[in-house]
Each structure stands twice: as C-alpha cells, then as structure tokens.
C-alpha cells in the first residue's frame, strides 16, 4: 500500500519505514476485497511496518472469507532492497548518484546499499524455502487421499482475474491446479524486491510469461498493492527444476 514517501517519490528501502497513508489503507482494503474468495494456506509478509501489522498483509486477510485467522509469518528475506545512503532521499538523488558514477538505475548500488545480485539471492533463498514447504505438505497429503479427491479444492482456490489474462494462460495451470494445489501462498513484499524476484524467475528458472506482456511492463515496478499470480509445479518433488507460469503480473484492476 502507498505511504507518504511513495507519493513524494522518496526512497524508503529498509532504514526508512513509513506506515501506510490513508490512500494506502484504502488500497490494501481494495486488494483484500479483490482476493476475498481465495483460500490461502499460508501468508508471508515482509517485516517492515508498511507491509505488516495494521497494514497491507493484515488488511488483505481481514477481508478474506476463508482465512481471517490465518497466522501471518514475517520474514526479513522479503524486505525491500536496501538503498544505503540514498534512503530517505528523493529518487532524483539516486539517479544523480548513478549518473555521477557512470551507471544506470536500477543497477546502480549506492554506498551501503544492496546490489541487485544480493537482492536476487534473498529472493532465491525465500523461494526455495517455499518450494520445500510445498513438498513437505505434499508428503503429508499423500496420507490423506480424501483431501486430494477430484474437485475437493475447486471452491477454495478461485482466482478473480479471469478477465485480465488469456484463456491459454489460465488453462496452463488453473484447471489442474484447482485439484492438486498443495499450497496456495500469499506473499506481501515490496516493489524493487519483487522486480528482482521476477528477474530471478525469468533468467534462472525460465518462467513462462503472459503472451500480452510488454517489455515496459516487465521492467516496471509494481503499483501499490499490485497483484501477481504464479503457478509453480514441482514434478515428483524436484526442487531443482520448478516449472513456473506467470498468470498475471502487477494486476491493479481492484484500485
């Protein structure tokens, strides 16, 4: 959700942590209403103030019809990229620093900040943790065949963006996933971090993208409370070769 610093184009990173603005709270409520019919099995959030507590993650769960009482687990690996000396300063200052160093944003790393590779490594570590979690759940579910019967999960994993992506993209995973999802995980994080996560998905894991996605959409930071949906398949529990389909990226039709 939006903060006052978002609106004023001031870098927050990790050291500057503003609460949501009034607009940000409305955005979080709107995202919650948008996702209210999705039954999540797990919720993970950045431990920064603007993502946790009475903010984005809690607002989304508060609107949910199935999992209001689901525990939100906070994880430092989901924090925004650290911008060092540029935190608390206008974005124009970061661009000026990059120009002075003969580099381009966003690849430029200010003093005390994280490199893009370091951010990507955090994303990789957290994603591998999620994959391990899903595999462990699958093993538990194998002991309870009834919970995996055809159609048992159909109503629990209904996603609201069928009008915003192609039938081909949905069919690539949704019809099958509705019956076999071992985990349906909500992750609440930050724009620059999630852009690095997407870069990792594409460059390292060959993520399949929506057919109508433009290069500018691919490189842009998600709008506040933008929603992205990925289907991850781990064939035979193989953690090394996940198949990833991006159903939608940075969806903001709820705003």
């Amino acid at each position: 959700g939006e903060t006052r610093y978002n609106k004023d184009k001031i870098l927050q990173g990790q050291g500057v942590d503003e609460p949501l603005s009034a607009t940000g709270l409305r955005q979080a409520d709107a995202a919650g209403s948008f996702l209210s019919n999705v039954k999540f099995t797990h919720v993970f959030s950045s431990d920064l103030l603007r993502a946790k507590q009475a903010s984005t993650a809690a607002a989304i769960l508060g609107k949910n019809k199935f999992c209001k009482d689901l525990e939100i687990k906070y994880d430092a690996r989901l924090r925004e990229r650290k911008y060092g000396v540029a935190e608390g300063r206008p974005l124009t200052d970061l661009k000026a620093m990059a120009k002075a160093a003969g580099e381009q944003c966003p690849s430029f790393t200010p003093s005390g900040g994280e490199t893009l590779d370091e951010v990507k490594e955090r994303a990789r570590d957290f994603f591998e943790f999620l994959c391990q979690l899903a595999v462990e759940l699958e093993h538990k579910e194998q002991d309870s065949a009834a919970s995996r019967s055809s159609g048992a999960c159909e109503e629990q994993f209904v996603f609201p963006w069928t009008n915003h992506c192609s039938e081909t993209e949905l069919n690539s995973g949704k019809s099958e996933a509705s019956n076999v999802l071992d985990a349906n995980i909500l992750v609440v994080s930050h724009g620059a971090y999630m852009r690095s996560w997407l870069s990792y998905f594409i460059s390292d894991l060959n993520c399949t993208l929506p057919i109508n996605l433009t290069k500018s959409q691919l490189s842009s930071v998600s709008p506040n409370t933008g929603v992205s949906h990925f289907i991850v398949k781990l064939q035979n529990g193989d953690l090394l070769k996940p198949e990833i389909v991006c159903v939608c990226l940075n969806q903001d039709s709820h705003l």
Side-chain angles (χ1 to χ4, degrees):
E2 182 196 84
T3 68
R4 176 172 58 96
Y5 277 27
N6 284 151
K7 185 177 180 180
D8 295 338
K9 293 184 168 28
I10 294 175
L11 288 167
Q12 294 172 99
Q14 297 182 14
V16 176
D17 196 16
E18 280 276 302
L20 295 189
S21 64
T23 297
L25 290 171
R26 288 194 294 271
Q27 291 171 334
D29 280 345
S33 297
F34 184 62
L35 299 171
S36 61
N37 287 314
V38 183
K39 184 171 182 179
F40 296 106
T41 57
H42 303 78
V43 179
F44 292 94
S45 172
S46 161
D47 61 350
L48 296 178
L49 178 64
R50 54 194 186 270
K52 67 180 287 191
Q53 292 182 349
S55 295
T56 312
I60 291 173
L61 276 193
K63 296 281 187 178
N64 198 277
K65 297 178 180 178
F66 300 103
C67 20
K68 291 181 187 293
D69 299 324
L70 195 61
E71 178 187 4
I72 302 172
K73 296 184 178 179
Y74 300 103
D75 198 303
R77 289 173 293 185
L78 293 173
R79 288 181 178 182
E80 180 60 289
R81 181 184 180 189
K82 185 178 181 181
Y83 283 97
V85 297
E87 292 183 354
R89 297 171 64 174
L91 176 60
T92 52
D93 283 8
L94 178 66
K95 292 179 177 179
M97 292 179 195
K99 185 177 180 180
E103 298 183 37
Q104 296 287 328
C105 285
S107 57
F108 171 69
T109 303
S111 177
E114 284 182 293
T115 66
L116 289 180
D117 283 344
E118 287 172 334
V119 180
K120 186 187 287 189
E121 188 56 37
R122 274 202 285 131
R124 180 199 306 273
D125 188 55
F126 185 76
F127 178 65
E128 289 178 351
F129 158 74
L130 292 185
C131 289
Q132 183 63 51
L133 174 66
V135 169
E136 291 172 358
L137 285 170
E138 181 184 21
H139 291 160
K140 290 179 182 178
E141 288 292 312
Q142 287 173 351
D143 296 328
S144 179
S147 66
R148 299 291 296 278
S149 63
S150 178
C153 300
E154 186 73 38
E155 188 175 354
Q156 298 177 0
F157 299 113
V158 175
F159 301 106
W161 37 77
T162 53
N163 294 329
H164 307 287
C165 51
S166 72
E167 185 177 349
T168 302
E169 289 153 13
L170 285 173
N171 288 341
S172 68
K174 183 185 176 186
S175 59
E176 180 181 348
S178 64
N179 290 333
V180 302
L181 280 180
D182 296 300
N184 192 34
I185 303 170
L186 172 67
V187 177
V188 180
S189 187
H190 308 272
Y193 174 86
M194 290 187 291
R195 182 166 58 183
S196 290
W197 200 347
L198 179 65
S199 173
Y200 161 58
F201 274 6
I202 296 171
S203 62
D204 293 37
L205 300 179
N206 298 314
C207 174
T208 301
L209 297 170
I211 55 177
N212 59 347
L213 201 65
T214 66
K215 286 187 177 180
S216 62
Q217 288 174 310
L218 196 58
S219 61
S220 64
V221 172
S222 173
N224 291 114
T225 68
V227 176
S228 297
H229 178 202
F230 298 91
I231 296 172
V232 181
K233 296 180 183 179
L234 299 166
Q235 299 290 356
N236 301 316
D238 188 351
L239 296 173
L240 298 178
K241 295 182 179 180
E243 295 180 16
I244 305 174
V245 174
C246 177
V247 177
C248 63
L249 185 70
N250 301 336
Q251 178 61 240
D252 64 353
S253 62
H254 55 284
L255 297 178

